[in-house]
Amino acid sequence: MGIAFWRSALFFTVIAVFAVIIFPSQRELGKLYIESGAVGKATAYLGPYFHKYPHDTANTLRYFKGLLYFGNSAEFLKFARQMRDRYPEDLAYHGILADFYEHNLQPQLASEEWLAMLRINPLQPEIKEKLVSYYELSKDIQGLMRFYSMQINQHAAGLEDYYDLGRLYSLDKDPSLAQRVYLEILKKFPGQDAARMRLAEAYEFSGKIPPAVDLYVQLYNNSPSNADYAILLAEKLLKYGREERALDYLGRFLRRFRQDGNFIDNLLYLYQAKSAQMDYLAVIEDFYRNYPIDNEILKFMAQSYFAANEYEKSEILLRSYNEKTGGDFRSHHLLGDVYLALGRKTAGQREYREALRLIQERAK
Amino acid sequence: MRIDLIGKLVVALVCCPMAGVSAQGVAEPRTVLAIFDSSDSYSPSVDNNLIHNNAEMVLNYLGLKVRYHDIRQGLPVEQEMGDVYGVITWFMDDALPQADKYCLWLSQEAKKGRKLVILGNFGAYRDSLTGELVPPDVFNGIFRQLGLEYAGDWSDNPFVIEVAKKDSRMVEFERTLEGEIASYERVVSFDQRNKVYLELNRTDIPAGRSAAVVIAPVGGYAMGGYEIFIDYLSDKRKWRIDPFLFFAGAFALEGKPRFDTTTLFGKRIFYSHVDGDGLRNPLESDRSRNCAQALKDEVLKKVDLPVTVSVISAEVDPRYYGSEEIVNQAREIFALGNVEAGAHGFTHLLDWQRQLTVFAIRGYSRPIATLGDLDILSESPYSSAMIISASREEMLKKEINGAVDYINRVLLPRGKKVAVYQWTGDCRPPAEAIQMVDDLGIGNINGGDPRFDPLNPSYTGVSALARQAGGFVQPYTSNANENIYTNGWKGPFYGFEFVIDTFRQTEDPTLVKSPPRRTSPINVYYHFYGVEKIKSLEAVRKVYDFALTQEIIPVFASEYCAIVKGFYKGKIFTLPAGGWRIRDYGACRTVRFDDCRLHPDLAKSRGVIGYSNYAGSLYVHLDESNDAELYLSSHPAGRVYLRDSEFVLSALKMGSEEISFTGRVFRKSKCHFANLRPEGNYEVEIKKKPSGKTVSTGVIQADRSGILEIVTPKKGEYYFQAKRQG
C-alpha cells in the first residue's frame, strides 16, 4: 500500500538534482522580469546578483537598465563608471554611459565615451558619426584632427576621412600636414584627382611651384575633356611664367573646347590679362585658319583685339560673327563697346539696344 | 453765397476720401516672399526648406509673415506680389530653370522698392534646363540693386582665402569663423551706404577683396558658407550671422512695431496641451488604473494651470476601441474647470499624404493586405500602420468633423465645445484639412517641435510660428513633446524634464552669444502616455512646477492659436503724425518695439491699455477693440495704465479714481496698474462672475511710485473694482 520508499526517495532525489533548472536563479528571474517589462521586480533580483557577480556583463547591464528606468542616476553613474574603469576594453559600459550622457544633454561627456569606444573598435559607423558631429558642432577642431589621425593609424579611415583631415589642416593653414594627408591619399587611391588638386594647392602655398605645376598638368592629362582642369592649368601656367607651355596648351584647348562658348570666355579672360597676348592671338588666328567654321573663335579673337585696343580688327570680326550667326547678347554688347571706343556713339547705342532686346527675348 | 456753398461741397467731397486715407495711414506690408527651389535636397517643400527651417522663426519674431514660392513652378505672378514687402532667397546651388528670366524679374521687384535679401548661393548664374550661363550683366542687375557687383573668381582653396575685416557681433553669432574660411567669391561693394560686416580677401589674385556679408539700403547679402554652418551628418545648424540683427537691418525694421506672440499683458504666455495617445494604457505603478485616471487625478486636479486635453475618438467610443468606462473617464476630465477640450482625430492619422493611420476600423482602415499596400508602407516612416481604404474626402470628414462631433455630443458637459484640433502623426495635413478645421471655428495646432538646448545649441532649433498650406495657417507647438525627449518613448522616461532647458534658452539664452530675448511662449506639451511611467509622471509635474515659478500668463491652447491667427491677420498702418494704426489683430494684443527707450503716449494713443519693458524691448498691450492707434513719446505715460497681469483680463476701465475689469484666474495671481496716486488707498471689491456674489473686499495701498498691485482669489472668473478712498 502507499508509495514505496525507494520511489519517493527517487522522486525527491530527482527534484533535488533538477532544482537548479526547475527553480530559476536570481539572475534568471531578473532577466525574465526585465524582459517582461516588470522593471521594479527585476531590480530586486538584478541588484543582489550584480553585487555578487559584477563581472557578469549581461546581468550588470540589465541592472543598470533598471536603475536608469527609475531615474536612479547617481547609483547608475557610480556603478557604471566603476565597471567601465575595471573593464576599460568592454564596449558595453562605455556605450551605456554614452547613452546616459547623451540623453541627459551632456554631449561632451558622451563624446569621451564615444571616443573610447572607437579606440576599442574603430569600425562603428553610427558612433563615429555621432562623435564627428559632436566635434563639428562644438567646433573642437583639435579633437577632430586627433580623431581622424587615430582612425588612419587604426587603418579604419575611409577616403572621406582623409579628405576631411586634409581640409582641416588646410583651413588651419598648415600645408606640410595637409601635404602628408593628400600624399597618403594618392598612395592609397592613385586615381584621386581631387587629392592631386588639393596637394597642388598645398605645394603652391609652401612655394613648391614645380611639383604644383606638374600636378596641374597631370590633372589635365588624366581628364583632358574636363574644362575646369584645362582652365586651371592655363591659369597656373600663365601665373608661374610658363608662357611657352601655355601657348602649347592653348592650341590643344582650342581644338578640344572650341564649341564651348563659356570655356572660350574664361580662357580669354586669362590670356588677355597677359602682356604677351599678341602671341596668343597669333596662335588663335593660326587656329582659325585651320578651323574657319568655328564662329565662337571669331568672338574670342574680337574680344582679344578689343582688349589690345585694336578696335577696327575687333569690329570686322564681330560683324562677321553677327552676320554668320545672327549675333547674340555678348557679340552685340561687345560691338557696342567697340563703337563707343571708336567714337561712334549712335552705332554703339544701336548695338546695346540689340543686346538688350536679345536678352529680354531670351527671358520671355 | 451759392458759389461759396458749392465751393464748400467740392472741398468736402475732395477732402473726405483724403481724410479717410490719412486716418487709415499708409499700410506697412508685412509679408516676405520666400523663394525656394524644390529640386534642392535641402529645400524640397514649402514646409521643409532652408528659409522655413532657419530664417522664418527670426522673421516672425521681427513681426514679418513669410509666404513661400517654389521657383520650379515658375515666377510669381503680379497678383501674388501686392502685399509683399520684400523677397528673400536662399539656394544651395547656382542653377535655376530660366535663370535669366528670374534675374530680370527679381531686379524689377527691387526697383519697385521691395527689399531684397540674398542668403547663401545667389542661385541663378546658370540655367538648369539648358546649362547656359547667365550673362554677368544680367545677374549683376540684381547685385547692383544692392550696391554690389559679382565678379566670380570662386575658390575653395583655404590657403588663399583670409578674413580682411569682420564685425564679430554680426558674423560670429553662434560660431566663430576661425579655421572655417573655406570658400570665396568676389563681390565688390561699390555703394558707400553699404555696411560690410565681413570682408574676405583672396591672396592669389589682384584686388581680391570681397564683401561677404553686407547690409545695403535696399536689402542684404550673406555669401554661401558665411550665413549658416551646417553639420551634414546630423543636419544640425548654427547661425554665423546674427539673424536678428541682419534681418532687422536688411528689411529696415528698426523702430517699427512688431506683433508679438510670446507675451500678453507683459507676461510670458504659458499654455499646455495633451495629445490623446495612450489614454487607455495601464499605469506602471498600479495596473488597475489607466493614464486617463492618472492624468485627471495626478495632474489636472493638482496643477492650477489651464490644460487643453484631446482624445482620439475611436479610442473612447465603445463602438470601436473604447468602453463606457473610458467614456466616463473622458467626461470626468472634460468636466474639470481648467480643462479645455481638444480633438486628436478619429483613428489618429500617421501619414496625411499616404492615408496611413493607427487603428483598424472595419470598412475604413485595415492592416496591410496587398503588394500595393507594401509599396505604400515602404515609402512611409510608419511601417506598421493601418491603411485607410476610405476616400480622401471621407477620411478627412471622419478624422476632423466626425471626431470633433463625437466629443461635442458624447463627452463634453453643457456649455463646452471642442476648441482645438491637435494634428496627429506627421502633422502635415493638406490645405483642405486645415480649412475644414477653420470652418469649424476652432483652433489647430501641432508640428514644429522646437528645441534649443545643449544638444541643439542654436536658434535654428526654434521653429517658425506656423506651417502654411494653401494660405491656411497651422500653428506649430512652442516646445517639443515628451516623445522626443524620451527617444520615441524608449527611455529615459524622465527625459521630458529637459524641456526646461528650451524654456530657459528661448528667453535668456546662455548657449549662444545673445542678449535676453523672449522668442517663444512656454508650452507644456505631452501625451496621455506621458503619465504612464512613474518617472515620466514625475517629469510632467516637474515641468509644470518649473512653469509655475516663472512670470507667466496662462492661457488655453485655443487662445494661443487665436494669438497666432491674430499675428497673421493683423495690419499696421503708419500715421502721418508719426504713430501707427494697428488693426485686425484679434487675440494678438501685444506689439513690441526692440531696443526702445520710448513710452506709449497714452493721451494721444487709442486702444492702448498699458505697457511694460523686458530685456530692452517695449511691450505694448492693446485692448479688445481690434483697432488701436499708438504713438510713442520720450516721456513716461501720465495716465493710469496696466503694467502687467498674470491672468487674462477684459472689459478694463481705468481712471485715477477707479479701475474695474473682469478676470479669469487659475491660481492666485497678480496684476499691476501704474500712475496711481503714490501711497493712495484703494478700496477693492472682488465679486464672483456671473453671480455677482462678493468674495473679497479690502483696502490696498499703491506703492510710493504709484503702482497698485491687485491679487486675485484662487480660481474662477471675477469682477474686480478698485476705488480710491477719500
Side-chain angles (χ1 to χ4, degrees):
Chain A
M1 291 299 283
I3 300 166
F5 172 75
W6 70 269
R7 280 177 184 240
S8 61
L10 180 66
F11 174 77
F12 285 109
T13 310
V14 168
I15 291 291
V17 168
F18 288 101
V20 179
I21 300 163
I22 294 167
F23 300 109
S25 66
Q26 271 185 329
R27 182 185 194 277
E28 293 309 306
L29 274 171
K31 185 182 171 190
L32 277 170
Y33 277 126
I34 205 156
E35 281 173 359
S36 66
V39 187
K41 285 181 182 164
T43 315
Y45 296 99
L46 295 167
Y49 195 81
F50 162 73
H51 290 293
K52 261 194 256 176
Y53 307 106
H55 58 273
D56 182 342
T57 311
N59 182 78
T60 301
L61 290 175
R62 284 193 285 271
Y63 174 54
F64 287 173
K65 208 170 143 190
L67 290 176
L68 284 177
Y69 186 90
F70 290 110
N72 203 341
S73 305
E75 207 154 321
F76 163 76
L77 278 174
K78 185 177 133 195
F79 294 135
R81 284 177 182 151
Q82 272 176 14
M83 295 306 291
R84 175 200 61 190
D85 297 343
R86 192 179 301 172
Y87 304 101
E89 295 303 307
D90 196 329
L91 281 175
Y93 298 120
H94 293 291
I96 201 163
L97 274 165
D99 286 349
F100 172 83
Y101 292 133
E102 191 184 13
H103 297 151
N104 284 270
L105 313 191
Q106 294 171 296
Q108 193 193 333
L109 291 172
S111 76
E112 289 166 19
E113 302 300 335
W114 292 327
L115 182 62
M117 290 168 83
L118 289 163
R119 264 200 197 107
I120 299 163
N121 174 8
L123 298 172
Q124 300 181 82
E126 270 179 38
I127 303 295
K128 180 173 167 180
E129 207 164 280
K130 282 183 177 189
L131 183 63
V132 171
S133 236
Y134 167 74
Y135 285 142
E136 287 279 11
L137 275 173
S138 61
K139 202 170 171 162
D140 185 350
I141 307 294
Q142 294 304 317
L144 200 51
M145 285 175 179
R146 280 196 301 272
F147 169 69
Y148 283 134
S149 303
M150 181 183 101
Q151 287 262 298
I152 289 170
N153 291 337
Q154 290 172 310
H155 306 289
L159 180 59
E160 287 304 314
D161 299 329
Y162 282 96
Y163 274 115
D164 281 346
L165 183 60
R167 179 183 58 89
L168 290 173
Y169 288 137
S170 302
L171 286 165
D172 203 29
K173 304 265 198 283
D174 190 333
S176 57
L177 286 175
Q179 283 162 33
R180 264 170 50 186
V181 174
Y182 294 125
L183 281 168
E184 186 75 16
I185 294 179
L186 288 172
K187 208 166 104 189
K188 281 181 178 285
F189 311 94
Q192 280 297 310
D193 278 345
R196 209 159 265 120
M197 191 156 83
R198 295 295 178 208
L199 180 61
E201 287 168 357
Y203 280 148
E204 277 183 276
F205 188 66
S206 324
K208 298 173 184 169
I209 305 305
V213 171
D214 284 350
L215 283 166
Y216 289 119
V217 171
Q218 275 180 42
L219 273 175
Y220 175 69
N221 289 341
N222 289 350
S223 313
S225 57
N226 186 323
D228 291 339
Y229 288 156
I231 286 288
L232 196 62
L233 177 57
E235 185 193 330
K236 300 301 173 186
L237 291 174
L238 292 169
K239 182 177 176 183
Y240 295 119
R242 270 66 169 173
E243 306 274 330
E244 221 164 283
R245 282 177 89 180
L247 276 176
D248 177 36
Y249 275 101
L250 178 60
R252 293 195 221 175
F253 295 157
L254 288 173
R255 269 194 296 283
R256 187 171 286 278
F257 302 107
R258 61 182 184 271
Q259 309 286 357
D260 185 343
N262 296 328
F263 177 83
I264 299 287
D265 274 357
N266 287 330
L267 203 61
L268 172 78
Y269 176 75
L270 290 172
Y271 280 77
Q272 74 182 11
K274 290 286 141 183
S275 54
Q277 60 177 288
M278 296 316 284
D279 293 341
Y280 302 120
L281 267 171
V283 174
I284 295 161
E285 280 179 351
D286 185 46
F287 176 80
Y288 187 63
R289 273 192 287 280
N290 293 326
Y291 298 91
I293 48 160
D294 284 313
N295 294 317
E296 286 299 316
I297 304 299
L298 280 178
K299 210 164 54 172
F300 182 82
M301 285 158 63
Q303 280 176 315
S304 302
Y305 280 121
F306 178 75
N309 301 334
E310 298 264 4
Y311 304 125
E312 285 83 1
K313 282 185 182 173
S314 184
E315 182 199 350
I316 293 164
L317 289 166
L318 283 169
R319 284 176 59 180
S320 165
Y321 177 83
N322 286 348
E323 267 168 32
K324 285 179 182 171
T325 65
D328 57 23
F329 164 80
R330 286 158 215 239
S331 65
H332 283 286
H333 196 286
L334 183 62
L335 192 52
D337 294 343
V338 169
Y339 284 140
L340 223 58
L342 290 168
R344 293 162 62 186
K345 211 171 168 185
T346 317
Q349 281 172 347
R350 191 183 63 230
E351 292 303 322
Y352 287 139
R353 265 197 295 276
E354 183 60 11
L356 191 67
R357 189 189 65 77
L358 285 171
I359 200 74
Q360 280 171 341
E361 197 170 86
R362 197 171 85 160
K364 270 179 198 164
Chain B
M1 184 71 182
R2 200 175 157 211
I3 292 167
D4 264 354
L5 200 69
I6 291 169
K8 278 179 187 167
L9 269 172
V10 168
V11 168
L13 280 171
V14 171
C15 289
C16 271
M18 280 172 71
V21 168
S22 67
Q24 178 89 350
V26 180
E28 289 271 353
R30 297 171 51 222
T31 302
V32 169
L33 189 73
I35 308 282
F36 73 100
D37 177 0
S38 60
S39 71
D40 184 335
S41 62
Y42 259 75
S43 297
S45 63
V46 166
D47 57 3
N48 183 14
N49 59 69
L50 285 164
I51 299 171
H52 182 69
N53 295 342
N54 303 295
E56 185 173 354
M57 169 260 153
V58 182
L59 295 169
N60 291 158
Y61 178 78
L62 297 172
L64 298 174
K65 300 183 280 184
V66 180
R67 192 165 64 225
Y68 290 89
H69 182 90
D70 179 4
I71 200 65
R72 291 273 147 183
Q73 309 298 319
L75 289 170
V77 291
E78 192 54 39
Q79 298 92 298
E80 215 180 312
M81 300 303 294
D83 63 340
V84 171
Y85 173 63
V87 178
I88 182 170
T89 70
W90 198 344
F91 301 115
M92 289 294 262
D93 65 25
D94 63 350
L96 288 179
Q98 295 189 293
D100 43 9
K101 207 169 167 182
Y102 166 82
C103 291
L104 292 174
W105 169 80
L106 194 55
S107 175
Q108 282 304 314
E109 292 307 317
K111 279 182 189 152
K112 286 177 194 166
R114 294 201 167 93
K115 297 287 176 193
L116 176 58
V117 172
I118 298 170
L119 298 179
N121 198 311
F122 165 68
Y125 298 116
R126 200 162 45 86
D127 192 312
S128 59
L129 302 175
T130 63
E132 222 173 305
L133 293 179
V134 175
D137 276 356
V138 174
F139 60 70
N140 265 324
I142 297 165
F143 279 95
R144 280 184 205 121
Q145 304 282 337
L146 293 164
L148 303 171
E149 178 91 19
Y150 180 88
D153 292 329
W154 178 86
S155 173
D156 68 346
N157 176 1
F159 290 116
V160 298
I161 313 167
E162 62 184 19
V163 171
K165 189 183 96 180
K166 71 176 176 187
D167 178 338
S168 275
R169 206 166 74 101
M170 176 64 91
V171 301
E172 295 185 311
F173 179 54
E174 293 184 346
R175 194 173 179 90
T176 63
L177 285 165
E178 193 193 345
E180 297 188 351
I181 305 297
S183 65
Y184 172 95
E185 292 164 285
R186 192 152 68 89
V187 175
V188 180
S189 174
F190 61 80
D191 189 329
Q192 295 298 313
R193 296 169 301 167
N194 282 357
K195 287 182 192 157
V196 179
Y197 292 92
L198 176 65
E199 193 172 40
L200 302 175
N201 184 32
R202 191 172 152 182
T203 54
D204 65 333
I205 57 172
R209 294 272 181 133
S210 174
V213 176
V214 183
I215 290 182
V218 296
Y221 170 70
M223 191 181 283
Y226 299 98
E227 81 288 34
I228 206 165
F229 165 84
I230 302 176
D231 171 42
Y232 292 96
L233 285 176
S234 64
D235 192 28
K236 286 180 182 170
R237 290 142 280 140
K238 282 183 139 190
W239 283 107
R240 288 195 190 279
I241 53 170
D242 178 339
F244 298 95
L245 274 182
F246 183 80
F247 291 137
F251 285 111
L253 301 172
E254 288 93 348
K256 288 187 180 178
R258 294 148 189 191
F259 282 113
D260 184 285
T261 58
T262 68
T263 304
L264 181 62
F265 305 138
K267 298 289 179 190
R268 189 177 190 186
I269 291 170
F270 164 94
Y271 68 101
S272 174
H273 66 296
V274 181
D275 284 353
D277 319 45
L279 165 146
R280 298 170 301 155
N281 291 9
L283 295 185
E284 179 185 60
S285 58
D286 176 358
R287 296 188 71 78
S288 68
R289 295 173 73 222
N290 65 17
C291 290
Q293 290 164 301
L295 183 73
K296 183 190 70 184
D297 298 331
E298 311 301 329
V299 180
L300 300 173
K301 281 185 165 180
K302 290 184 178 170
V303 174
D304 292 333
L305 286 165
V307 183
T308 302
V309 179
S310 66
V311 296
I312 302 163
S313 61
E315 237 194 332
V316 180
D317 192 335
R319 290 175 297 171
Y320 306 111
Y321 293 89
S323 64
E324 283 308 322
E325 195 187 353
I326 299 287
V327 167
N328 288 332
Q329 288 169 354
R331 283 180 180 151
E332 284 172 21
I333 288 174
F334 288 130
L336 296 172
N338 61 334
V339 170
E340 176 182 71
H344 200 47
F346 167 49
T347 58
H348 193 293
L349 282 185
L350 292 168
D351 187 328
W352 286 78
Q353 186 69 33
R354 296 182 184 88
Q355 302 200 180
L356 304 177
T357 194
V358 171
F359 293 111
I361 302 282
R362 188 184 294 272
Y364 177 74
S365 54
R366 55 172 173 73
I368 179 169
T370 65
L371 279 175
D373 293 347
L374 195 65
D375 284 346
I376 297 170
L377 286 180
S378 63
E379 286 169 10
S380 169
Y382 305 102
S383 54
S384 57
M386 301 295 139
I387 290 174
I388 292 182
S389 44
S391 69
R392 183 181 170 93
E393 196 185 348
E394 194 190 340
M395 174 191 84
L396 293 180
K397 220 168 157 189
K398 269 195 184 303
E399 295 292 339
I400 297 171
N401 301 56
V404 170
D405 179 60
Y406 175 78
I407 298 167
N408 280 339
R409 273 188 305 107
V410 180
L411 305 180
L412 298 190
R414 191 186 297 268
K416 244 183 202 182
K417 291 276 176 205
V418 168
V420 191
Y421 192 87
Q422 295 166 223
W423 299 111
T424 56
D426 64 5
C427 295
R428 300 182 72 192
E432 67 256 45
I434 307 175
Q435 186 178 13
M436 284 169 78
V437 173
D438 281 358
D439 288 346
L440 289 171
I442 62 177
N444 76 90
I445 195 165
N446 279 353
D449 299 320
R451 281 185 75 167
F452 187 174
D453 55 35
L455 287 188
N456 304 269
S458 166
Y459 275 109
T460 59
V462 184
S463 40
L465 207 49
R467 169 180 177 263
Q468 296 171 71
F472 297 96
V473 173
Q474 173 194 339
Y476 282 145
T477 64
S478 307
N479 288 101
N481 61 49
E482 92 290 20
N483 188 54
I484 291 165
Y485 287 99
T486 56
N487 295 303
W489 202 239
K490 292 197 288 279
F493 294 106
Y494 57 83
F496 188 41
E497 67 186 54
F498 295 120
V499 72
I500 291 170
D501 281 66
T502 301
F503 295 164
R504 288 193 170 115
Q505 295 299 323
T506 48
E507 181 157 79
D508 192 359
T510 53
L511 296 169
V512 295
K513 269 192 312 186
S514 170
R517 180 184 282 132
R518 186 178 293 153
T519 48
S520 301
I522 287 181
N523 172 207
V524 179
Y525 166 36
Y526 55 99
H527 302 79
F528 268 89
Y529 62 71
V531 299
E532 179 187 325
K533 311 277 183 190
I534 294 163
K535 282 289 148 186
S536 65
L537 174 60
E538 273 177 31
V540 167
R541 297 194 58 172
K542 197 170 174 180
V543 172
Y544 278 123
D545 286 347
F546 174 82
L548 285 165
T549 65
Q550 303 297 294
E551 294 200 9
I552 54 169
I553 177 163
V555 300
F556 283 116
S558 69
E559 292 168 323
Y560 173 70
C561 296
I563 289 170
V564 174
K565 206 170 187 176
F567 173 91
Y568 282 93
K569 293 214 160 176
K571 295 181 186 74
I572 296 176
F573 302 86
T574 307
L575 295 172
W580 295 273
R581 185 169 179 197
I582 301 159
R583 278 184 42 198
D584 303 333
Y585 49 80
C588 187
R589 291 171 59 187
T590 303
V591 288
R592 194 187 74 245
F593 294 83
D594 292 327
D595 297 319
C596 182
R597 290 166 193 271
L598 301 174
H599 313 268
D601 182 338
L602 295 177
K604 209 171 164 189
S605 300
R606 178 174 58 78
V608 176
I609 56 174
Y611 64 95
S612 59
N613 297 89
Y614 171 75
S617 295
L618 169 70
Y619 291 81
V620 180
H621 324 323
L622 306 178
D623 72 7
E624 294 146 288
S625 67
N626 215 14
D627 189 353
E629 276 184 25
L630 170 63
Y631 291 89
L632 297 183
S633 158
S634 50
H635 304 293
R639 293 187 174 191
V640 174
Y641 67 91
L642 173 70
R643 192 187 73 184
D644 57 61
S645 174
E646 292 174 345
F647 59 95
V648 175
L649 47 74
S650 52
L652 174 64
K653 287 178 187 157
M654 287 176 294
S656 54
E657 299 298 310
E658 186 178 334
I659 296 169
S660 68
F661 58 91
T662 62
R664 181 197 66 191
V665 295
F666 296 97
R667 58 178 178 146
K668 205 170 178 180
S669 310
K670 288 179 274 189
C671 63
H672 296 95
F673 291 90
N675 274 346
L676 287 125
R677 177 183 282 258
E679 298 183 333
N681 285 330
Y682 289 82
E683 200 174 306
V684 175
E685 185 176 19
I686 302 173
K687 294 176 183 170
K688 187 89 183 149
K689 196 184 165 194
S691 68
K693 190 182 160 196
T694 300
V695 291
S696 160
T697 55
V699 175
I700 52 175
Q701 192 180 44
D703 70 11
R704 278 185 196 171
S705 56
I707 301 288
L708 183 74
E709 177 178 282
I710 296 177
V711 180
T712 70
K714 264 191 163 177
K715 287 176 193 174
E717 290 191 56
Y718 301 95
Y719 298 109
F720 295 82
Q721 192 175 43
K723 276 186 184 169
R724 191 158 76 82
Q725 277 187 330

